Amino acid sequence: MVALDVHEYTSNKQIKKMSSIPLPTTNTISPSSSSSTTTIFSTLHSSPLFTKTSKISTIRKHNGRRNFKVSCKTTEDGHEQHNSPIDISKKTDSSSNMIDRRNVLLGLGGLYGASTLVGGHPFAFAAPVNGPDVTKCGPANLPPGASPVDCCPPTTGNIIDFQLPPPPTTPRIRPAAHSVDSAYIAKFNRAIQLMKQLPDDDPRSFRQQANVHCAYCDGAYDQLSFPNTELQVHSSWIFLPFHRCYLYFFERILGSLINDPTFAMPFWNWDHPDGMRIPAMYTNPSSPLYDRLRDRRHQPPVMVDLDFNGTDPNISNAAQTSQNLTNMYRQMVSLGRTPDTFLGDPYRAGGQPGGGGSLETMAHGAVHVWTGDRTQANFENMGDFYSAGRDPIFYAHHSNIDRLWTVWKTLGGRRQDFTDPDFLNTSFLFYDENAQMVRIRVRDVLDSRGLGYVYQNVTNRWVKSRPTPRVSRALSSIRRLVEARAADNDVVTFPRPKEIFPTKLDHVIKVMVKRPNKKKRNKKEKNEKEEILIVEGLEVDSDVFVKFDVLINDEDETLISPENAEFAGSFVNVPHHSHGKGEKKRKTKLKLAITELLEDLDAENDENVLVTFVPKNGSGAVKIGGVKIVLED
């Protein structure tokens, strides 16, 4: 069964050893030697068990919306919490519409009762994001060119709380998609085929499962008890746990349909050289795993580009492999040194997502857009959140994201999940394999083993792919000496942030940014506080594929790639569409951990660093409010 197109579907989205991190002992693979070519994006039967009111999404503009910014005053110890405001892009309560979170919750008529008190303190109310109320699901806000679609699930009055399953004798093992045998492929094909054959109004059907992503990601839901405040599962600390829940129930439905409770879905191992192509079982046009809305130029044997910006690089497979591995090292190791830089910023009731973590803002988004069809108006299916779930490979992509979350917690240091009650008590609603709606919380899913599954053991070769500086330390020292002399002679080389921002990023921008501590820190100090570059006040056109790179201490941006230490990170916006009340732009921030980068560049004693912003796609569709460097616990 071939996947439907958009209109058919909507009528019924150099290597440096790091000795502190152990490398799993499995075989390594040599990359192939074929080459890529250079191309440019030209554009970028009814069930009586459920009732469903039609809420067909339309493409329209709405009136303005009002959002309250809710602050948190206390933590378990009664002290002010760092980054505690709900609108975490703000550090103060100076806004005229900022309301104390406790006052808001006290006015919710008992929804938050005594059970939500944190640590027994009478004024420390929890404010996790809860919901949604599916009976109030509204039209999703779709992009221009998309056919109307109802993303809302069937409604039911019976919602139960999730209970962890009994520990299995042997956990389900999710396999790498490129390594499975013909028997597994046949079983997986049958499971997906049966899911696609279910009636469209069955919440277990493939259509309904695909629409889960549309509803949660494109403005169909409000936060529970906060009408007109969109529930969004990207760009914050709930990104990874939401998608783990999503995949868990998807997998359980598949197993139920084939009467095999041990069935485990595959993962697309795009961070390993053997998995850096679309897995073969997804490319057979006669398979239910096939989706014709994929980029034809990115079919095997073309390798995935984890730094994809709309242009296909003209490099060998060996070079692409090396670049992908260093890119993964950057996201997982050097940028992922703390919970907030890897998992994302806090997201609390009544607020807005504050910013995604390194994995979400880089490889996650790049693979989405790389896979989507460039000939479609919105890069359907994978290239836009509203349609991504229609491609079966979406679930394999996110299964690898889920695996990498587990791997990250094995790398040591401060790489641990948040313990904030607002994180742990955030809840979502999904239909399970029995077509029962279930309320599941983040605290239920932090360990995949508790859900009964693990991942096939594969070699994470990127662990030993630490980037190297383009400029030698000797040359870097000479350059700093020249800059110091220029400063002594009042020669202005590069502007300060306040002289440039806010401004649109429609050209390369270079600014000199002052560091909070120009003295080299010891290992203990680095472990206690991370040096973080914060790009704040970002305003992004949410329906545009946006990518920009951030470089540090390099004056020739044309020569820098993720293989270089000067490459600090990227920001990627996968097109999606907000609540639908006139808000085309989303506000966010980008946080990049730079402690290790400064070591590699021999810049730990520098008073300032040169920060370069390089627009790669969607030039002018993002505005930068400012940039600063801070030390954070």
Side-chain angles (χ1 to χ4, degrees):
M1 179 177 180
V2 178
L4 303 175
D5 69 14
V6 175
H7 303 287
E8 292 171 331
Y9 196 99
T10 57
S11 63
N12 288 291
K13 233 225 231 189
Q14 170 168 77
I15 299 176
K16 183 173 181 178
K17 184 174 182 180
M18 185 174 182
S19 60
S20 62
I21 298 177
L23 181 67
T25 55
T26 56
N27 294 334
T28 57
I29 309 297
S30 299
S32 85
S33 58
S34 61
S35 60
S36 305
T37 58
T38 300
T39 57
I40 306 295
F41 257 57
S42 60
T43 67
L44 246 193
H45 324 170
S46 292
S47 170
L49 300 178
F50 305 96
T51 60
K52 186 165 183 179
T53 302
S54 177
K55 298 181 179 65
I56 301 297
S57 303
T58 55
I59 306 160
R60 58 181 179 171
K61 293 185 178 180
H62 298 256
N63 295 328
R65 63 193 286 188
R66 178 181 61 180
N67 287 321
F68 292 110
K69 300 175 183 176
V70 185
S71 67
C72 173
K73 300 297 185 180
T74 60
T75 62
E76 294 183 21
D77 59 4
H79 293 92
E80 183 175 344
Q81 182 178 352
H82 182 64
N83 277 353
S84 60
I86 300 309
D87 179 2
I88 57 175
S89 66
K90 306 290 185 181
K91 295 296 184 182
T92 68
D93 294 346
S94 59
S95 176
S96 61
N97 63 343
M98 180 71 77
I99 301 174
D100 190 301
R101 184 174 66 185
R102 293 168 295 182
N103 295 334
V104 171
L105 299 181
L106 283 170
L108 292 180
L111 176 64
Y112 295 86
S115 62
T116 63
L117 294 176
V118 180
H121 291 276
F123 296 107
F125 286 88
V129 172
N130 283 288
D133 181 347
V134 296
T135 66
K136 296 181 180 178
C137 181
N141 198 32
L142 303 182
S147 297
V149 58
D150 184 357
C151 294
C152 296
T155 59
T156 176
N158 182 24
I159 301 174
I160 65 173
D161 284 319
F162 177 77
Q163 300 292 327
L164 286 172
T169 303
T170 302
R172 305 189 302 279
I173 301 176
R174 291 184 179 176
H178 68 270
S179 69
V180 298
D181 59 20
S182 59
Y184 178 91
I185 294 174
K187 179 183 287 189
F188 188 31
N189 272 267
R190 181 168 173 262
I192 294 293
Q193 183 69 49
L194 290 171
M195 182 180 275
K196 288 187 173 184
Q197 290 174 347
L198 291 172
D200 287 345
D201 61 351
D202 188 322
R204 304 167 302 158
S205 70
F206 189 82
R207 184 183 300 266
Q208 289 291 335
Q209 289 296 301
N211 284 342
V212 167
H213 203 253
C214 174
Y216 272 103
C217 307
D218 286 88
Y221 289 138
D222 284 334
Q223 293 179 34
L224 188 63
S225 300
F226 288 90
N228 297 322
T229 300
E230 178 186 346
L231 174 58
Q232 174 57 251
V233 296
H234 293 87
S235 301
S236 78
W237 63 9
I238 71 171
F239 167 73
L240 290 170
F242 168 82
H243 287 86
R244 174 168 287 182
C245 297
Y246 187 5
L247 299 186
Y248 171 78
F249 290 109
F250 183 82
E251 180 178 77
R252 296 297 291 167
I253 294 169
L254 291 176
S256 176
L257 291 172
I258 58 174
N259 195 29
D260 183 359
T262 69
F263 176 77
M265 63 185 298
F267 65 95
W268 180 6
N269 195 189
W270 38 252
D271 59 307
H272 187 284
D274 278 3
M276 290 179 183
R277 296 169 179 84
I278 293 179
M281 66 176 169
Y282 290 92
T283 64
N284 179 359
S286 64
S287 167
L289 301 176
Y290 181 77
D291 185 359
R292 70 180 186 83
L293 296 185
R294 296 185 190 137
D295 197 315
R296 289 177 174 81
R297 300 179 187 177
H298 293 160
Q299 300 307 298
V302 176
M303 300 189 74
V304 67
D305 178 9
L306 299 183
D307 189 44
F308 185 63
N309 56 32
T311 301
D312 293 323
N314 186 19
I315 59 177
S316 68
N317 280 0
Q320 184 68 72
T321 297
S322 178
Q323 180 171 296
N324 283 344
L325 292 175
T326 51
N327 199 321
M328 285 305 304
Y329 177 94
R330 177 69 76 201
Q331 296 168 65
M332 296 292 294
V333 182
S334 57
L335 289 178
R337 287 168 60 92
T338 68
D340 57 339
T341 58
F342 182 78
L343 297 172
D345 266 10
Y347 179 29
R348 308 183 196 274
Q352 303 295 329
S358 56
L359 186 61
E360 180 186 2
T361 59
M362 295 176 70
H364 160 257
V367 174
H368 263 285
V369 181
W370 183 88
T371 309
D373 186 352
R374 72 181 75 200
T375 68
Q376 298 298 305
N378 305 288
F379 315 121
E380 289 92 349
N381 280 320
M382 276 282 282
D384 197 296
F385 284 161
Y386 92 93
S387 56
R390 301 174 184 176
D391 188 338
I393 207 170
F394 164 85
Y395 306 93
H397 170 45
H398 270 278
S399 189
N400 197 43
I401 295 287
D402 183 72
R403 180 186 70 88
L404 290 169
W405 178 17
T406 297
V407 171
W408 173 75
K409 289 185 281 190
T410 70
L411 299 180
R414 296 166 60 191
R415 297 176 180 89
Q416 300 175 349
D417 290 322
F418 291 101
T419 58
D420 189 317
D422 289 354
F423 173 71
L424 300 176
N425 293 324
T426 293
S427 65
F428 315 105
L429 296 177
F430 292 92
Y431 278 102
D432 68 7
E433 65 270 27
N434 301 312
Q436 169 66 58
M437 183 168 281
V438 178
R439 178 185 295 106
I440 189 169
R441 293 175 172 83
V442 170
R443 65 170 182 254
D444 298 323
V445 302
L446 297 180
D447 187 344
S448 71
R449 293 170 298 183
L451 298 173
Y453 73 90
V454 294
Y455 285 93
Q456 174 186 337
N457 186 29
V458 296
T459 304
N460 298 308
R461 288 182 53 180
W462 44 261
V463 172
K464 287 190 173 182
S465 296
R466 187 167 178 166
T468 57
R470 185 182 69 84
V471 178
S472 70
R473 290 194 170 197
L475 290 176
S476 180
S477 298
I478 294 172
R479 187 197 67 213
R480 289 200 300 272
L481 179 60
V482 171
E483 290 174 350
R485 289 176 176 174
D488 290 340
N489 292 312
D490 293 327
V491 176
V492 177
T493 52
F494 297 102
R496 296 289 181 178
K498 64 181 180 180
E499 301 172 36
I500 296 292
F501 303 117
T503 190
K504 281 189 175 182
L505 183 58
D506 53 8
H507 62 283
V508 174
I509 296 176
K510 299 175 182 290
V511 291
M512 195 65 72
V513 182
K514 186 177 180 61
R515 295 179 56 224
N517 182 10
K518 65 178 181 179
K519 180 181 178 181
K520 185 174 182 178
R521 299 184 296 150
N522 59 39
K523 183 177 181 178
K524 180 177 182 296
E525 291 171 327
K526 293 176 183 178
N527 288 336
E528 291 175 348
K529 289 183 180 292
E530 178 64 28
E531 192 157 353
I532 298 178
L533 176 74
I534 302 178
V535 186
E536 54 191 355
L538 286 176
E539 295 184 8
V540 186
D541 288 350
S542 62
D543 58 355
V544 176
F545 167 37
V546 172
K547 182 180 186 294
F548 66 83
D549 295 341
V550 183
L551 315 179
I552 289 182
N553 281 6
D554 192 274
E555 298 174 22
D556 190 349
E557 69 282 351
T558 63
L559 301 178
I560 291 297
S561 78
E563 292 191 86
N564 302 122
E566 292 88 350
F567 182 90
S570 297
F571 175 89
V572 176
N573 178 71
V574 179
H576 60 292
H577 316 281
S578 65
H579 197 283
K581 299 195 176 180
E583 293 195 356
K584 180 181 178 181
K585 295 184 181 294
R586 72 179 180 101
K587 297 180 180 180
T588 187
K589 70 165 78 72
L590 176 65
K591 300 175 72 171
L592 302 173
I594 61 173
T595 296
E596 186 177 283
L597 178 148
L598 295 174
E599 293 175 359
D600 293 342
L601 298 181
D602 192 27
E604 293 182 276
N605 288 318
D606 291 359
E607 183 176 355
N608 305 282
V609 295
L610 178 65
V611 178
T612 303
F613 298 95
V614 186
K616 292 292 187 175
N617 203 86
S619 179
V622 59
K623 181 179 180 180
I624 298 177
V627 58
K628 62 183 179 181
I629 299 175
V630 301
L631 293 175
E632 285 193 359
D633 294 335

